[in-house]
Amino acid sequence: RYDSGMKTVSIRPLEPGDETAWRGLWSEYCAFYRQSVPDAVTTHLWNRLLGGDSVTRCVVAESETGTLLAFAHTVSHPHTNPLGVSQC
């Protein structure tokens, strides 16, 4: 949690109920980079982000009113750590 004095923002894992808001943020992200991503690719990404066995994960920033403000997609690379611990 981050409290700026004016609003509190929480960082948490993506949840199934976030799909509509996440798709809106994803659409804005793609538009910013002038990319057109087919719906099938977006759906595939969404499913990967929620799948527990995927190395691709997502956290979201959520306002105190429950609005999703941003997301961060991460990719774990287990081969980058000689101890086998994935921390990328």
Side-chain angles (χ1 to χ4, degrees), residues 4-79:
S4 68
M6 296 187 342
K7 81 166 73 166
T8 300
V9 176
S10 298
I11 306 299
R12 62 167 177 79
L14 187 69
E15 298 173 352
D18 297 329
E19 185 171 6
T20 299
W22 174 86
R23 282 181 179 264
L25 291 170
W26 174 247
S27 178
E28 292 174 14
Y29 174 87
C30 292
F32 177 83
Y33 287 104
R34 296 185 176 114
Q35 297 298 310
S36 176
V37 177
D39 286 338
V41 172
T42 296
T43 297
H44 180 73
L45 174 59
W46 171 256
N47 290 328
R48 285 181 63 201
L49 293 171
L50 288 180
D53 60 347
S54 177
V55 297
T56 306
R57 294 193 173 83
C58 179
V59 292
V60 294
E62 181 180 48
S63 74
E64 58 193 7
T65 61
T67 301
L68 290 194
L69 305 170
F71 65 79
H73 294 166
T74 63
V75 179
S76 296
H77 301 282
H79 63 278

